[in-house]
Amino acid sequence: GVIPIFHLLKCHTTEVATDPDGIVADDLERILRNWPRDTPRPKLLYTVPYGCNPTGASATLERRLKVLHLAREFEFLIFEDDPYFYLYFGDVPRSPSYFQLEKEIPGTLGHVMRFDSFSKVLSSGMRIGFVSGPNPIITAMNRFTSSSMLQPPGLTQAVTYSLLSHWGYEGFQQHVDYLASVYRRKRDLFVAAMQMHLTGLAEWSIPEAGLFVWFKVFLPPVPGSQEGDSEDLIVRRALKEKVLALPGTAFFTNGRTSAYVRASFSMLPEEHFNEAMRRLAAVIREAREETETKIFNGRIAGALSSSGGLGYSTSNANKRMFPPSYYDRYLSDKAQRCLPCPIRNLIGPSRIPGMLSLFSGSPAPETFPYRALTLTISYPDTPNRDKSSRVELDGDLLGEALQYSDTGGMRRFVDWLYGLQERYHQRRHDEEGWSSSVGCGGQDLLFKAFTCLLDEGDSILVESPVYAGVIPIFHLLKCHTTEVSTDPNGIVADDLERILRNWPRDTPRPKLLYTVPYGCNPTGASATLERRLKVLNLAREFEFLIFEDDPYFYLYFGNAPRSPSYFQLEKEIPGTIGHVMRFDSFSKVLSSGMRIAFVSGPNPIITAMNRFTASSMLQPPGLTQAVTYSLLAHWGYEGFQQHIDYLGSVYRRKRDLFVAAMQMHLTGLAEWSIPEAGLFVWFKVFLPPVPGSPEGDSEDLIVRRAFKEKVLALPGTAFFTNGRTSAYVRASFSMLPEEHFNEAMRRLAAVIKEAREETETQARL
């Protein structure tokens, strides 16, 4: 799982040997003491100290102490990745963690980053883990979280906390003792089956923690190696016999030949252990006999090969799609270096009837403490909103939610989303070369999409002002942003055309345009149909992608019918399909803390994004998907529309009351347009111009003066990529109770008057 990350980050890896007693500390010392003087020393050591994936080894106390001593001497961090810490079932007491040892052994504190996970303890599908380490590093990690997904999903945190606080620490220890008894029994039965069938064909050590046995198959050496190669044995022969495991080559950073195999004893029912080992023994014998025959006949010659116009009409539906190779020009170097995960690729084959799966590191489902969840769901329609119904989340759906699942989302949930896109955008994924993928909120998907497409120095177009959440991503990726102006009718397509037609010939054209077309954050503007059509036409002419970030699509409350999305228009307007990446979110529709969103776009880009997901978080949390799917499936598409109608009525009322309060208190002090979607009003405060700008600066007004009067808003400067001065303010009418609208506007008016009077007094002096 970490190898694709190393490739992505272009870091140099130096391998330290391991054996059944864990990391070989003497080898680590040899490497460090012979480190080239002209090469910077390594920053960190990555290690899995208990029940290591893949070897099953647990590091001895003696080796841990030496590793800690070396970390202090050579000043590197220990990344203690310890998901199997609570799955220890050895006969002797468990050794202390590096995190504990650095406190107990005299010397400096702060060399250990400890990674704990509940995936193997409570539920792998919940996607809950936590890291402990020095404050500056945790702070830096939190900044990445804020830029990439805002926060971990609140529902999974709340469910996990509710269970743990209900149990208490003693109850949690009892659960850990239960886990040890389950996996000790599974380990014993699995090793017994190996001894029965693989004795003389392979060798192994017996693990004392975790889920895996790492065994070496006795195969004839292959050219360039002193041992055999298990890859063909496992990938072709064993798979043909419906046995899934992982060849050792998957666990080396350079993918070198290995005679080892990783087998998991967690998921396969115990009654199938003997049959799985019998099949493995048969394919090992077959491979050995075939190789010996080839040698005898002298037939081995060398190494084996590695396994149109702007008129709007729907009368002529568009079917011109780009070939997958078209998107090679858009994918970033990072996307092309992000390797597919061999473990994730086997989830599909593991579902084949009769398949005996030894590949997965999934915990045994009988160890999950959750039996059922009951959801109390309101009726979707406005007249019956105070009524509710109960939906049980149990059986196969709960089982799927609690376990590792598909990278792009649970299949039944994704299928429901395909139906949603067909209903609201008239798009069919099976006919048009696009697919959808689920993420932990829109921010998560945007972060991955930008990373998949943008290299350092690439150019992109962004509407101005722009959603503040993407600005840190642009800085992180070191891309060049060109601002396209907006007004109350959305993005100014004429300005976009001017920029493109005057683009410097010696500069690569922009890869994409980022836009929020409905109820834009921060301006509240919704783009007109005329402008959307022109933007789409320009995207086709100048070959850039449209990133249609549309979290407020379902929060439309205007009087006129809603304009079609870019995603719909590119199907209905003659021309090529495949320029639109559409980002939908349930954050503003169902729950922001759930962190559920989905992206729809060309298959090659979605595939690249899924690889990033597999490398960064494996999959979106199953529980939040299952809860969301249960609600939506219970309502159906008609019920979802009724809920959307209810949202429209709520936010229309809030908007009207908020604007009325603005008119009462801010008339003559500010100007604004009335939004038809979303949660925001963007207003310009009449302040005297500041040096270097033709308008005033709202930052001091909002950050200092309004805050002092206990009014929170955001100054306009936060929404420009260069942080320039702005007289604008973004105000939200969604969370403040309606009875406080007038008081908020009264306080704002007071601080505006105070700032103006102060400036005028200074000018007279």
Side-chain angles (χ1 to χ4, degrees), residues 231-487:
E231 186 169 18
D232 178 75
L233 176 80
I234 296 301
V235 173
R236 184 175 64 86
R237 296 176 187 270
L239 183 62
K240 183 180 178 182
E241 296 302 317
K242 292 190 174 181
V243 177
L244 276 181
L246 277 172
T249 184
F251 300 95
F252 294 96
T253 56
N254 60 359
R256 68 175 181 269
T257 296
S258 172
Y260 282 86
V261 174
R262 191 200 77 175
S264 169
F265 49 81
S266 59
M267 281 288 288
L268 187 67
E270 295 164 6
E271 60 269 23
H272 294 163
F273 284 176
N274 270 300
E275 176 60 17
M277 293 301 107
R278 186 196 67 76
R279 294 185 192 179
L280 264 182
V283 297
I284 293 171
R285 292 191 182 98
E286 177 188 57
R288 290 172 58 166
E289 291 169 1
E290 185 176 307
T291 303
E292 290 166 359
T293 301
K294 286 182 178 180
I295 293 173
F296 179 78
N297 293 331
R299 290 199 295 264
I300 295 185
L304 297 174
S305 299
S306 65
S307 338
L310 297 182
Y312 179 45
S313 170
T314 63
S315 60
N316 183 20
N318 186 20
K319 294 185 179 180
R320 291 171 54 199
M321 294 176 287
F322 291 116
S325 60
Y326 173 80
Y327 296 97
D328 291 346
R329 72 186 73 182
Y330 294 102
L331 294 177
S332 66
D333 176 65
K334 293 179 286 294
Q336 307 206 26
R337 283 188 287 106
C338 191
L339 303 175
C341 177
I343 299 174
R344 299 261 102 195
N345 289 343
L346 290 176
I347 289 177
S350 71
R351 297 183 177 123
I352 297 174
M355 186 67 72
L356 302 181
S357 178
L358 307 175
F359 94 94
S360 175
S362 303
E366 64 266 30
T367 66
F368 297 154
Y370 306 99
R371 295 293 176 260
L373 296 174
T374 300
L375 308 176
T376 303
I377 297 171
S378 69
Y379 279 38
D381 57 315
T382 302
N384 295 302
R385 199 70 187 185
D386 58 339
K387 299 178 181 178
S388 60
S389 55
R390 292 196 171 187
V391 175
E392 293 293 324
L393 177 51
D394 54 15
D396 291 342
L397 179 57
L398 180 61
E400 186 179 357
L402 296 177
Q403 193 57 277
Y404 291 124
S405 187
D406 295 276
T407 300
M410 295 168 59
R411 288 183 295 173
R412 66 182 87 189
F413 182 37
V414 174
D415 286 342
W416 200 94
L417 298 176
Y418 285 142
L420 192 72
Q421 299 301 66
E422 184 175 358
R423 179 185 178 96
Y424 288 96
H425 307 284
Q426 285 70 59
R427 297 294 301 267
R428 293 183 58 87
H429 79 285
D430 53 349
E431 299 174 355
E432 301 165 13
W434 63 273
S435 52
S436 291
S437 183
V438 178
C440 285
Q443 189 78 13
D444 173 47
L445 294 170
L446 286 169
F447 186 88
K448 290 169 184 169
F450 284 128
T451 305
C452 279
L453 296 182
L454 297 175
D455 288 311
E456 181 176 344
D458 280 345
S459 296
I460 63 168
L461 303 159
V462 298
E463 60 186 7
S464 178
V466 68
Y467 164 52
V470 297
I471 295 176
I473 303 175
F474 301 153
H475 283 279
L476 182 66
L477 297 177
K478 296 183 178 179
C479 57
H480 297 299
T481 57
T482 298
E483 295 181 335
V484 183
S485 61
T486 61
D487 64 20

Side-chain angles (χ1 to χ4, degrees), residues 197-251:
H197 296 283
L198 298 187
T199 298
L201 300 174
E203 64 180 1
W204 57 87
S205 297
I206 299 176
E208 295 185 332
L211 312 175
F212 308 108
V213 177
W214 178 248
F215 61 96
K216 182 178 181 179
V217 182
F218 299 148
L219 294 170
V222 296
S225 175
Q226 296 180 344
E227 58 186 31
D229 184 2
S230 66
E231 186 169 18
D232 178 75
L233 176 80
I234 296 301
V235 173
R236 184 175 64 86
R237 296 176 187 270
L239 183 62
K240 183 180 178 182
E241 296 302 317
K242 292 190 174 181
V243 177
L244 276 181
L246 277 172
T249 184
F251 300 95

Side-chain angles (χ1 to χ4, degrees), residues 562-583:
R562 183 174 52 198
S563 298
S565 65
Y566 288 108
F567 194 53
Q568 178 178 344
L569 287 172
E570 77 160 350
K571 173 69 188 300
E572 296 180 342
I573 303 302
T576 49
I577 292 180
H579 283 286
V580 179
M581 290 285 294
R582 178 171 175 80
F583 299 84

Side-chain angles (χ1 to χ4, degrees), residues 688-697 725:
V690 295
S693 174
E695 59 185 30
D697 184 3
T725 296

Side-chain angles (χ1 to χ4, degrees), residues 464-760:
S464 178
V466 68
Y467 164 52
V470 297
I471 295 176
I473 303 175
F474 301 153
H475 283 279
L476 182 66
L477 297 177
K478 296 183 178 179
C479 57
H480 297 299
T481 57
T482 298
E483 295 181 335
V484 183
S485 61
T486 61
D487 64 20
N489 290 319
I491 189 168
V492 180
D494 288 344
D495 187 47
L496 175 62
E497 182 176 21
R498 177 191 59 79
I499 291 169
L500 291 167
R501 300 213 181 279
N502 291 283
W503 196 263
R505 296 197 175 190
D506 58 347
T507 303
R509 286 179 178 172
K511 284 185 173 181
L512 62 93
L513 164 70
Y514 173 77
T515 181
V516 181
Y518 282 105
C520 178
N521 181 355
T523 66
S526 297
T528 63
L529 175 58
E530 180 184 7
R531 292 191 178 182
R532 292 171 191 253
L533 291 170
K534 185 165 186 175
V535 168
L536 177 61
N537 182 60
L538 290 168
R540 287 169 167 170
E541 179 181 354
F542 290 93
E543 296 188 292
F544 61 83
L545 301 177
I546 299 172
F547 269 34
E548 181 178 31
D549 183 15
D550 215 357
Y552 310 104
F553 176 80
Y554 295 109
L555 268 61
Y556 179 77
F557 40 79
N559 295 322
R562 183 174 52 198
S563 298
S565 65
Y566 288 108
F567 194 53
Q568 178 178 344
L569 287 172
E570 77 160 350
K571 173 69 188 300
E572 296 180 342
I573 303 302
T576 49
I577 292 180
H579 283 286
V580 179
M581 290 285 294
R582 178 171 175 80
F583 299 84
D584 282 280
S585 175
F586 290 115
S587 290
K588 310 302 188 291
V589 181
L590 299 178
S591 161
S592 54
M594 295 271 280
R595 311 307 303 136
I596 282 284
F598 62 104
V599 59
S600 305
N603 289 332
I605 300 178
I606 298 298
T607 298
M609 291 179 64
N610 284 342
R611 287 183 180 177
F612 272 87
T613 298
S615 295
S616 63
M617 58 188 298
L618 300 185
Q619 65 179 72
L623 181 64
T624 52
Q625 294 183 73
V627 168
T628 305
Y629 171 75
S630 296
L631 168 68
L632 295 173
H634 177 71
W635 277 351
Y637 296 115
E638 289 300 325
F640 180 71
Q641 180 57 53
Q642 292 172 347
H643 175 65
I644 297 306
D645 294 339
Y646 164 73
L647 294 180
S649 67
V650 169
Y651 287 112
R652 184 185 298 110
R653 184 189 70 248
K654 285 180 174 287
R655 186 270 319 265
D656 291 345
L657 292 172
F658 195 80
V659 170
M662 293 182 72
Q663 289 170 337
M664 178 181 294
H665 296 282
L666 298 187
T667 298
L669 300 175
E671 64 180 3
W672 58 88
S673 297
I674 299 176
E676 294 186 333
L679 312 174
F680 309 108
V681 177
W682 177 249
F683 61 96
K684 182 178 181 179
V685 181
F686 299 150
L687 294 171
V690 295
S693 174
E695 59 185 30
D697 184 3
S698 66
E699 186 167 20
D700 177 74
L701 176 79
I702 296 300
V703 173
R704 185 175 65 86
R705 296 176 186 271
F707 183 75
K708 183 180 178 182
E709 296 301 318
K710 294 188 176 180
V711 177
L712 280 179
L714 277 172
T717 183
F719 301 96
F720 294 96
T721 56
N722 61 359
R724 67 176 179 269
T725 296
S726 171
Y728 281 87
V729 175
R730 190 200 77 174
S732 169
F733 50 80
S734 58
M735 282 289 288
L736 186 67
E738 295 166 6
E739 61 269 23
H740 293 162
F741 284 177
N742 269 300
E743 177 60 18
M745 292 301 105
R746 187 196 66 77
R747 295 184 191 180
L748 265 181
V751 298
I752 294 172
K753 291 172 184 172
E754 176 189 58
R756 290 171 58 165
E757 290 170 0
E758 186 176 306
T759 304
E760 291 169 359

